[in-house]
Amino acid sequence: MEALRLERVSKYYQSENNVSVGMKHISLAFHMGEFVAVTGESGSGKSTLLNVLSGLDKYEEGEMFIFSEETSHYQIKDFENYRRENVGFVFQNYNIIDSYTVYQNVMLALELQGYPSRERKERALKLIDQVGLTKQKHQKSSKLSGGQKQRAVIARALAKDTPIIVCDEPTGNLDQTSAEQVIELLHDVSKDKLVIIVTHEFDQVSKYATRRIKMSDGEVVEDIKIKAYDNITVNKVEKTKSLNFFGLIKFSLRNLLAQPKRFVFMLFLMIIAISVFTVVYSNQIFGLRTTGLEQSSTYPSVPNSRVLVERRDGNALTQTDIDQIAEFNGVSKVYAYGALFYNDTSFNLISFFNGTEVMDMMGYRYNDSALNLNTSDLESGRLPEAADEIVVSRYWWGIELNETFLLASTRVWDWNKETLEASSIGYFKVVGIVNNDLQTIYFSEAFLDQPYPTTPSLDLTLKAQVKETIENNLKLTYNDQDFYVYQNGENFSGFDLFMDNNTPLLEIPVSIEVTITSQSLTTMLSTTKTIRLGNEFSSEGFNYGVISVSVFNSIIEDFLEEVEEEYVTLPSPIASVSIENQLVGTRIVNQLDVETYKVYYPANIPGFLQEFLVFILSIVAVIILTILGLFLYAVIHAVTKNMMNSRKKDFSIFRSVGAHESTLSVLVILEQILLSIIGLVLSVFILNMIVLFVPDHGLTIEYMGVTDYLILVLSITLLGLWLGLRFNKRVFHQTVIQSLTSGGE
């Protein structure tokens, strides 16, 4: 049966300056069962003939028939199908995948041919045993001798079970003994195949050859039939199946792991590049999510590590509510009695000189739980344990360990010790100092876990504020003239009000008004009292007076009684939730049931210019990430290009074994994507370990959400895709022979 036929086929090679002839006007026919030896001097065209017959290279003139089918219209893909289904190869330089074991090289042919997966291992081991390499089956091919490599290639060629086997100088690099073994092995498997061997040493194959073709200067000068052969009929070759997606994944991982040093180097490069990009990306995300945020004026002491939650029905949170909130990832603890944090006021640490006079008053903006601190956060001291122990930020210098301070509201302006003590929450000992400037006081768990009162309580701080507002704004009206009383004096001469000139004593009604302004109330209070008025002064422009202590206090007490609800408060049912970062707080705000709960994140209130600032920063972030991404791509591409060029020979061997261009294209892309994804996973893992175990790490990766990670995965996947496409473009526009030549170079 005729397998191959050439009719006046010519092959030319073009260089920069001239065109050379590989072979010209060759007409030959080859039949199944033949063992053909092609001989000739170097440059005679015998390897060119073999490359054209096997579909490794294309021809320019004439016609080649494969099992009577014309091929002049064939494209590279058509010749790939031909090689895949019909041709097995044995080369002088072995063309073996050095990074693969013998077993993997043989399995490669079976996988690419689509051989049934359950039968591959058995067939591979049988062929390896047939060529005498059972002991070396798991040995890397790079460690084999020349004869062993050639036998491994023969086993791989046989694994395809193709009707044609072509051999280009299969014994050229072997000693005499190894050469004889290889030729005998080829003869043993050629009884039902067409075997074509190109050789310089005809004597090595003369014992088995059925035909000799001699070439010179690209022409056939001799074609002699040496012995008879059995004419074999070949059934139509069934088309092989392509690797499925999971097969390609397995193939890609094997290629990556086959060269550990290269894989580790490329992975290290990926980790560095991806880590740098991730850190910069997370910083930009952090900036976008925190810019333009302001502190709530209602809850000025709540830092961004706390969220406030209360039920809409006004009741305290139940244990079920607390458990639900605690389930959020990143929640450290839920404090049912959140009012113990004094969310609506900042504090002063007050020290006294000689125990009576105020010596220093140091303001702190926030308060928090010491549960959010680690021992490593402390500059000195320890974490608080008792209810009257605190840790403070190193915001004010001069604070020493074990000093005791009065903790009082910043709203109290009277520096009288008794007033300060009446409006404070008590004396506290500083047992630790944190080396940061967050203006924060950290309470102990013993303090924050105290039972909270359930009955109305007098807020002396608020009462002092309201009282001071009344005192500073007291206005009297007499004879349609308004004047303010801003100073009270002693009882004198029987008068209640002294007005700067000598007038008879009068008892007259005087209208008294005051406007009260506090955090939650703006109202006007008024009353009319009959007082003894002396030293009346009627001059226009008179606007102040001095009122007696008894009348003044009476007026103040009356007004304080009217606005008692301002400073007598019910226990707040609000809870405080300690969180790890701003992202957790935002998640709680967005995901808690708004029909059941009111959620406040006081440290992250959108400001007036937030949208504008976010827009500007978004543009800046895109520019920064684009520039950085292009730079990192250039670095990775330069290294990957060299790495992939060193593998061009491997991919050419894959093609010679029967891999489709489409299969290898997907394989290359998958390798790059897998490498990129593995690098991304390791980079994120390393960065998160730094966040967990390295103090003052300065990273903001914890602010990245699922969407951000998906964007990173997509970006890295596109990077791998692009690198793979660039490599494919350089490799697959060439024939196998061109690719092998450039790969060898």
Side-chain angles (χ1 to χ4, degrees):
M1 178 180 181
E2 183 181 88
L4 300 171
R5 179 158 50 94
L6 304 179
E7 291 184 356
R8 299 187 62 77
V9 172
S10 299
K11 170 66 184 176
Y12 304 103
Y13 295 106
Q14 185 172 357
S15 61
E16 293 182 359
N17 299 318
N18 60 359
V19 176
S20 59
V21 177
M23 63 181 194
K24 59 183 177 181
H25 303 148
I26 300 296
S27 297
L28 293 169
F30 300 89
H31 297 81
M32 297 301 301
E34 285 192 282
F35 192 100
V36 182
V38 181
T39 63
E41 300 295 329
S42 295
S44 62
K46 57 186 183 299
S47 291
T48 301
L49 172 64
L50 195 70
N51 292 337
V52 170
L53 287 172
S54 62
L56 291 175
D57 212 351
K58 57 187 178 180
Y59 57 92
E60 280 73 41
E61 291 181 352
E63 184 66 79
M64 181 173 76
F65 295 87
I66 299 174
F67 294 109
S68 301
E69 181 181 347
E70 295 182 356
T71 63
S72 56
H73 64 281
Y74 271 21
Q75 302 297 318
I76 290 178
K77 184 176 181 180
D78 298 311
F79 280 113
E80 285 179 346
N81 289 330
Y82 161 58
R83 291 194 304 271
R84 176 185 175 124
E85 297 169 1
N86 294 281
V87 184
F89 296 87
V90 181
F91 297 94
Q92 175 182 357
N93 57 357
Y94 317 126
N95 281 351
I96 196 167
I97 309 295
D98 289 330
S99 58
Y100 280 17
T101 64
V102 172
Y103 175 75
Q104 289 173 332
N105 267 282
V106 177
M107 284 290 287
L108 171 67
L110 295 170
E111 289 171 344
L112 292 177
Q113 193 183 25
Y115 204 83
S117 58
R118 288 175 291 183
E119 302 174 22
R120 289 175 192 167
K121 182 176 180 180
E122 180 181 354
R123 178 167 174 77
L125 293 176
K126 181 179 179 180
L127 290 169
I128 291 171
D129 184 64
Q130 187 176 347
V131 299
L133 292 176
T134 300
K135 292 182 179 180
Q136 292 81 22
K137 61 184 177 183
H138 294 309
Q139 189 171 338
K140 285 287 182 73
S141 299
S142 59
K143 304 296 184 182
L144 300 175
S145 67
Q148 290 171 332
K149 287 183 179 180
Q150 202 63 289
R151 291 202 297 272
V153 170
I154 292 173
R156 188 179 67 193
L158 294 176
K160 292 179 64 178
D161 195 21
T162 55
I164 302 170
I165 293 179
V166 296
C167 310
D168 188 3
E169 300 285 359
T171 62
N173 295 327
L174 305 179
D175 58 58
Q176 183 65 29
T177 302
S178 297
E180 291 176 358
Q181 291 174 348
V182 166
I183 295 299
E184 184 178 1
L185 182 59
L186 287 171
H187 175 260
D188 290 342
V189 301
S190 67
K191 294 182 175 62
D192 59 348
K193 301 179 186 297
L194 165 62
V195 178
I196 304 174
I197 297 180
V198 167
T199 180
H200 280 94
E201 303 291 339
F202 178 71
D203 291 342
Q204 290 181 342
V205 300
S206 59
K207 181 179 177 180
Y208 307 107
T210 63
R211 177 181 177 188
R212 177 179 181 179
I213 297 173
K214 186 175 181 180
M215 297 192 68
S216 177
D217 295 328
E219 297 181 338
V220 175
V221 296
E222 185 178 83
D223 184 0
I224 303 174
K225 182 177 180 181
I226 299 175
K227 63 177 68 174
Y229 60 89
D230 295 331
N231 192 3
I232 305 298
T233 300
V234 178
N235 295 325
K236 186 177 180 180
V237 177
E238 294 183 6
K239 290 188 176 296
T240 56
K241 299 178 181 179
S242 299
L243 285 173
N244 58 30
F245 180 75
F246 293 105
L248 286 170
I249 291 287
K250 182 180 177 181
F251 200 167
S252 301
L253 287 172
R254 184 172 64 213
N255 281 342
L256 288 174
L257 299 175
Q259 299 184 40
K261 292 182 179 179
R262 181 181 64 85
F263 173 68
V264 170
F265 174 77
M266 288 301 299
L267 187 59
F268 176 76
L269 176 66
M270 281 289 184
I271 289 173
I272 295 297
I274 293 172
S275 295
V276 171
F277 186 82
T278 302
V279 168
V280 175
Y281 179 85
S282 65
N283 283 336
Q284 298 303 312
I285 292 298
F286 172 74
L288 290 173
R289 290 178 178 170
T290 58
T291 190
L293 298 177
E294 299 176 352
Q295 183 71 36
S296 166
S297 59
T298 305
Y299 300 111
S301 71
V302 180
N304 61 8
S305 58
R306 290 202 291 121
V307 172
L308 304 181
V309 180
E310 63 178 330
R311 291 185 60 89
R312 289 192 176 275
D313 59 14
N315 296 322
L317 266 65
T318 65
Q319 188 59 48
T320 301
D321 296 326
I322 293 173
D323 292 342
Q324 178 185 347
I325 298 170
E327 288 179 358
F328 279 88
N329 187 32
V331 170
S332 303
K333 185 174 180 179
V334 180
Y335 295 89
Y337 305 119
L340 286 167
F341 282 94
Y342 293 86
N343 303 302
D344 58 350
T345 183
S346 300
F347 287 111
N348 286 317
L349 287 181
I350 304 172
S351 59
F352 296 96
F353 182 72
N354 290 331
T356 56
E357 299 178 9
V358 174
M359 181 174 69
D360 205 354
M361 185 177 290
M362 294 166 284
Y364 279 83
R365 184 175 183 182
Y366 305 113
N367 59 77
D368 205 351
S369 167
L371 184 67
N372 293 331
L373 296 175
N374 296 314
T375 304
S376 58
D377 297 323
L378 297 177
E379 174 188 293
S380 57
R382 60 177 174 81
L383 297 176
E385 297 174 357
D388 62 348
E389 293 178 342
I390 57 174
V391 167
V392 298
S393 300
R394 174 63 81 187
Y395 181 71
W396 295 96
W397 291 99
I399 295 179
E400 301 294 338
L401 287 179
N402 299 318
E403 278 192 273
T404 298
F405 295 91
L406 182 68
L407 194 60
S409 168
T410 57
R411 295 181 303 205
V412 176
W413 303 315
D414 191 338
W415 283 30
N416 177 273
K417 183 178 181 181
E418 292 184 358
T419 304
L420 289 171
E421 288 181 334
S423 62
S424 72
I425 64 170
Y427 285 93
F428 289 82
K429 179 191 291 187
V430 175
V431 297
I433 297 175
V434 182
N435 189 20
N436 62 37
D437 59 353
L438 298 179
Q439 305 183 53
T440 305
I441 294 172
Y442 299 91
F443 292 115
S444 67
E445 293 301 287
F447 176 82
L448 297 174
D449 287 338
Q450 295 178 89
Y452 197 68
T454 57
T455 56
S457 60
L458 175 64
D459 189 328
L460 294 176
T461 299
L462 283 174
K463 184 175 182 180
Q465 182 187 24
V466 173
K467 181 179 179 182
E468 189 169 9
T469 300
I470 296 173
E471 291 174 347
N472 290 337
N473 295 278
L474 197 62
K475 182 175 68 175
L476 281 71
T477 302
Y478 175 62
N479 285 342
D480 297 326
Q481 183 177 355
D482 296 335
F483 57 94
Y484 290 92
V485 177
Y486 61 90
Q487 183 179 359
N488 64 329
E490 301 296 331
N491 289 324
F492 49 89
S493 304
F495 294 105
D496 294 319
L497 182 64
F498 176 70
M499 299 187 65
D500 201 32
N501 65 347
N502 295 320
T503 56
L505 176 65
L506 300 173
E507 291 189 4
I508 58 175
V510 176
S511 175
I512 306 168
E513 298 177 352
V514 66
T515 299
I516 304 296
T517 304
S518 69
Q519 278 191 317
S520 60
L521 175 68
T522 298
T523 188
M524 179 175 176
L525 303 176
S526 63
T527 187
T528 300
K529 287 184 177 293
T530 299
I531 64 175
R532 291 175 296 168
L533 181 62
N535 296 1
E536 180 182 7
F537 182 73
S538 59
S539 171
E540 292 184 6
F542 178 83
N543 60 2
Y544 81 96
V546 180
I547 197 168
S548 68
V549 173
S550 59
V551 175
F552 182 84
N553 288 340
S554 174
I555 295 171
I556 298 302
E557 290 301 321
D558 287 347
F559 284 157
L560 282 174
E561 187 174 341
E562 288 190 43
V563 292
E564 187 179 71
E565 68 276 4
E566 280 293 286
Y567 51 85
V568 175
T569 59
L570 291 172
S572 172
I574 202 164
S576 179
V577 183
S578 287
I579 57 176
E580 291 181 359
N581 53 52
Q582 181 251 5
L583 186 64
V584 179
T586 303
R587 191 183 304 131
I588 293 174
V589 171
N590 293 335
Q591 295 183 10
L592 267 185
D593 182 7
V594 295
E595 295 184 359
T596 305
Y597 306 100
K598 296 179 184 178
V599 187
Y600 312 96
Y601 198 0
N604 290 270
I605 304 299
F608 174 70
L609 295 176
Q610 188 198 33
E611 290 187 4
F612 173 75
L613 293 174
V614 168
F615 174 75
I616 297 298
L617 286 181
S618 297
I619 296 175
V620 173
V622 169
I623 294 173
I624 291 174
L625 292 173
T626 300
I627 294 174
L628 178 64
L630 291 174
F631 171 74
L632 294 176
Y633 167 76
V635 173
I636 294 174
H637 177 262
V639 177
T640 303
K641 179 180 178 181
N642 292 329
M643 289 289 184
M644 296 302 283
N645 281 338
S646 69
R647 298 183 61 211
K648 287 174 72 173
K649 180 180 177 181
D650 286 354
F651 282 93
S652 300
I653 295 172
F654 292 153
R655 295 173 70 188
S656 72
V657 173
H660 277 307
E661 175 184 344
S662 57
T663 299
L664 290 181
S665 297
V666 174
L667 179 68
V668 172
I669 292 171
L670 279 177
E671 283 188 28
Q672 293 301 314
I673 291 176
L674 285 172
L675 184 64
S676 301
I677 296 300
I678 293 171
L680 175 62
V681 171
L682 291 177
S683 299
V684 172
F685 175 78
I686 292 170
L687 291 174
N688 277 283
M689 290 301 99
I690 293 175
V691 169
L692 286 175
F693 298 110
V694 179
D696 302 322
H697 49 76
L699 298 177
T700 55
I701 188 172
E702 62 264 36
Y703 287 85
M704 292 180 58
V706 174
T707 302
D708 302 313
Y709 282 113
L710 289 176
I711 292 173
L712 271 182
V713 170
L714 178 61
S715 301
I716 299 305
T717 302
L718 290 176
L719 171 66
L721 175 63
W722 183 247
L723 289 171
L725 289 174
R726 291 292 298 270
F727 178 73
N728 289 342
K729 184 177 180 181
R730 289 193 300 271
V731 172
F732 296 117
H733 71 282
Q734 300 174 314
T735 64
V736 175
I737 290 299
Q738 291 172 330
S739 188
L740 280 171
T741 303
S742 61
E745 295 171 354

